[in-house]
Amino acid sequence: MYALTILFHLWEGKTMHYAWVVALTGLFVVLFAHGLGRMSYSVILPYMKDALSLDYTQVGLIATGNLIGYLLFTTFGGFLATRFGPRKVISISLLVTGAGLFLTGFSDTFSFAFITRLITGMGNGGCFVPMLALPAAWFVARKRGLAMGIVNIGVCLGLVLSGFFVPLCISYFGREGWRYTWYLIGGGTFLCAFFCYNLLRNDPREKGCVMCGADPDSHQNPPQAITLFAAFRRIVSEKEVWKLACVYCMYGFSYIIYLTFYVAYLVKEIGKSPSEAGSMFAIIGFIAIFAGLLWGAFSDTVGRRYACICIYLVLAVAYALPAFFHESFFLYLSAVMFGIAFSVPVLMAAAAGDAVGGQLAPAALGLITLMFGIAQTIGPIIGGRIKDATGTFTYAFMLCTGFAVAGALLSLTLKAE
């Protein structure tokens, strides 16, 4: 956070465009709201499962509780950001996220854990969609994918920190370490909300500048006020938005099964140590840090359609490897491939901005994320039930592979730039 203050002063000295401060602030927002707030559950899951005596269907349902909250507020948060501005919506949502995370540490029953993860999910949805869409208002199209890749680094850093921080915390605090992990993440999220409100701005006009990459002398018309109903009507009538929604569903269903159960698969089924499994999980985030930037820049160059086709094919390989091979080399390779492809939200956010423009981008991304969220909500339940019914995650990963291939085929229908 201190680095953001330095960047703010650099901008005041006119050495950089304030759009980059917004993008880097978004990185920290996504780190706490999504990277740690959501993704750390996968690493904490085995410890919570043992401490609360849960079965895999229940831990899948707890993950679904988070996703239900996320689902409720992705569309709502996106439309609220269009009406009232992303800055307020994101800051308040961060406070809700922090409260849910902190309370999760007090869980002693399945029901309480489900409710607290539901609250966390509501905050996640209110933060993630408006923040990922905000660069559409600050950057021209040829820089938009790169900027959204920077914001999405927060998710990747969350995976890295989860893979190393959670096992360390468990080791230090013992059996109750998973509770202290939730307390620490919640406290950090409260702090992030303060910096977010002070550094984020809704559009370049609030800083007296034009979009990053635009002609400095160009005239920028102020965005017209739009009602929630008018925004909704304009978004649902756009065919490209619905195509993006279908493509995004394939990712939502498949990635969440892999991400939720991969550590449990490695520890409980393959027999890997928690530290080795945590290292594999951290590799996903480490690789994804660089991959997000590359996919964003790649999509700026070749177009969103071809970037989506490529990324879904990489995902298919990542899912297939643990389904058919149990050797450490292939398990690590799967984590690497998944990390490479862990940037579909970047492409979706950029494509949504291309389809409807900067002002409506949060609403469009909210709508396609609603469809993504429905698929994502179903995923952990089906994945958990497959494991309980068959005794293995192999068939769940095979199902994920099929959905990734379908995502590549559906990407062929997207508009070619």
Side-chain angles (χ1 to χ4, degrees):
M1 291 298 182
Y2 179 69
L4 293 179
T5 304
I6 294 176
L7 288 171
F8 175 79
H9 288 302
L10 284 174
W11 179 85
E12 290 294 330
K14 305 302 181 184
T15 58
M16 67 180 294
H17 197 288
Y18 196 82
W20 298 110
V21 176
V22 172
L24 289 168
T25 303
L27 185 158
F28 284 94
V29 171
V30 173
L31 167 63
F32 283 98
H34 205 69
L36 291 173
R38 286 190 61 200
M39 303 306 177
S40 61
Y41 175 71
S42 298
V43 184
I44 301 174
L45 181 155
Y47 307 104
M48 284 187 67
K49 177 183 181 297
D50 292 342
L52 303 182
S53 300
L54 305 174
D55 59 33
Y56 281 105
T57 299
Q58 287 177 313
V59 296
L61 285 170
I62 292 174
T64 297
N66 180 266
L67 298 175
I68 290 173
Y70 179 80
L71 178 62
L72 290 173
F73 272 75
T74 46
T75 305
F76 193 50
F79 280 98
L80 285 177
T82 297
R83 177 64 180 87
F84 300 106
R87 181 190 182 195
K88 291 181 180 178
V89 174
I90 293 169
S91 300
I92 293 172
S93 296
L94 274 174
L95 294 176
V96 174
T97 302
L101 290 168
F102 198 83
L103 289 172
T104 303
F106 291 96
S107 300
D108 56 1
T109 64
F110 163 74
S111 299
F112 190 89
F114 181 89
I115 292 171
T116 57
R117 293 301 291 163
L118 176 69
I119 294 171
T120 305
M122 293 166 65
N124 293 154
C127 294
F128 188 62
V129 169
M131 189 64 250
L132 199 58
L134 186 57
W138 278 91
F139 293 86
V140 296
R142 67 178 182 275
K143 291 179 177 288
R144 195 169 289 157
L146 176 61
M148 291 171 178
I150 292 174
V151 173
N152 197 61
I153 286 176
V155 179
C156 312
L157 283 177
L159 293 175
V160 173
L161 291 176
S162 296
F164 288 113
F165 171 69
V166 173
L168 182 64
C169 197
I170 298 293
S171 176
Y172 183 80
F173 290 106
R175 290 178 57 85
E176 297 297 296
W178 65 273
R179 298 186 186 274
Y180 289 97
T181 303
W182 288 124
Y183 301 152
L184 291 171
I185 297 174
T189 305
F190 284 129
L191 184 63
C192 182
F194 169 79
F195 281 94
C196 169
Y197 187 78
N198 281 277
L199 292 175
L200 285 184
R201 295 296 183 272
N202 295 323
D203 62 71
R205 292 177 61 254
E206 295 185 11
K207 281 294 183 179
C209 57
V210 297
M211 296 175 74
C212 183
D215 183 349
D217 298 322
S218 64
H219 177 69
Q220 185 173 315
N221 294 321
Q224 300 296 315
I226 184 170
T227 65
L228 294 177
F229 177 75
F232 178 78
R233 185 173 57 185
R234 290 173 60 181
I235 292 302
V236 298
S237 65
E238 177 58 56
K239 291 182 179 179
E240 190 68 14
V241 171
W242 291 107
K243 293 179 184 178
L244 290 170
C246 292
V247 172
Y248 209 10
C249 278
M250 301 301 103
Y251 178 68
F253 180 87
S254 61
Y255 103 95
I256 197 62
I257 293 177
Y258 182 95
L259 201 59
T260 299
F261 295 113
Y262 195 57
V263 172
Y265 164 73
L266 294 173
V267 175
K268 301 293 185 180
E269 187 170 327
I270 302 300
K272 300 296 182 183
S273 67
S275 60
E276 186 177 7
S279 296
M280 291 186 189
F281 196 81
I283 285 173
I284 294 173
F286 182 76
I287 296 295
I289 290 173
F290 307 98
L293 295 174
L294 293 175
W295 282 113
F298 181 65
S299 73
D300 287 340
T301 303
V302 305
R304 317 302 178 199
R305 175 206 281 181
Y306 298 111
C308 283
I309 293 171
C310 292
I311 203 169
Y312 273 101
L313 292 177
V314 175
L315 274 175
V317 175
Y319 298 147
L321 286 173
F324 297 103
F325 304 99
H326 293 172
E327 293 81 2
S328 292
F329 171 79
F330 293 106
L331 297 175
Y332 274 104
L333 182 60
S334 173
V336 170
M337 297 292 283
F338 185 75
I340 290 173
F342 193 62
S343 301
V344 174
V346 173
L347 303 185
M348 293 296 102
D354 295 344
V356 299
Q359 185 183 12
L360 289 173
L365 185 58
L367 181 59
I368 67 174
T369 305
L370 171 65
M371 306 302 295
F372 160 85
I374 292 172
Q376 189 178 223
T377 301
I378 298 170
I381 299 175
I382 293 180
R385 285 192 176 277
I386 289 174
K387 165 62 176 177
D388 288 336
T390 66
T392 178
F393 285 114
T394 296
Y395 299 107
F397 292 144
M398 291 174 63
L399 183 62
C400 291
T401 303
F403 270 75
V405 172
L409 294 175
L410 287 171
S411 295
L412 290 170
T413 68
L414 298 179
K415 179 177 64 177
E417 291 81 358

